[in-house]
Amino acid sequence: MGNEKDEYIEGLYTLDDIFPLVIPDQKPFPWNLHKLDAYCKKKGIDPSQLTDEELKQFEIKK
């Protein structure tokens, strides 16, 4: 029979449970996120609400 401390510790989440290690395997975002964020704040919208046309203006040209 375990003690209360051991049972408490076993019940805790670790950071790996909450934030699993993610190693990016893709290129960085193809948009200028600073300008995109400023635009969304100015318009009072969420970035997910941007149309494809609006999103094109923030593409990083290579």
Side-chain angles (χ1 to χ4, degrees), residues 29-48:
F29 288 105
W31 308 285
N32 183 324
L33 297 181
H34 294 287
K35 289 183 180 180
L36 188 147
D37 183 54
Y39 178 83
C40 290
K41 285 180 180 177
K42 181 179 176 183
K43 301 273 279 185
I45 60 174
D46 187 74
S48 65

Side-chain angles (χ1 to χ4, degrees), residues 19-24:
F19 302 105
L21 176 63
V22 177
I23 300 172

Side-chain angles (χ1 to χ4, degrees), residues 4-62:
E4 288 180 29
K5 182 179 177 183
D6 290 337
E7 291 174 11
Y8 174 77
I9 291 172
E10 287 177 13
L12 291 177
Y13 288 103
T14 66
L15 285 179
D16 289 335
D17 293 332
I18 300 169
F19 302 105
L21 176 63
V22 177
I23 300 172
D25 60 348
Q26 55 183 320
K27 297 175 186 173
F29 288 105
W31 308 285
N32 183 324
L33 297 181
H34 294 287
K35 289 183 180 180
L36 188 147
D37 183 54
Y39 178 83
C40 290
K41 285 180 180 177
K42 181 179 176 183
K43 301 273 279 185
I45 60 174
D46 187 74
S48 65
Q49 297 173 311
L50 291 173
T51 65
D52 289 340
E53 279 299 313
E54 287 175 306
L55 198 54
K56 283 183 184 179
Q57 65 184 319
F58 303 107
E59 287 182 356
I60 297 173
K61 310 287 189 240
K62 291 186 179 185

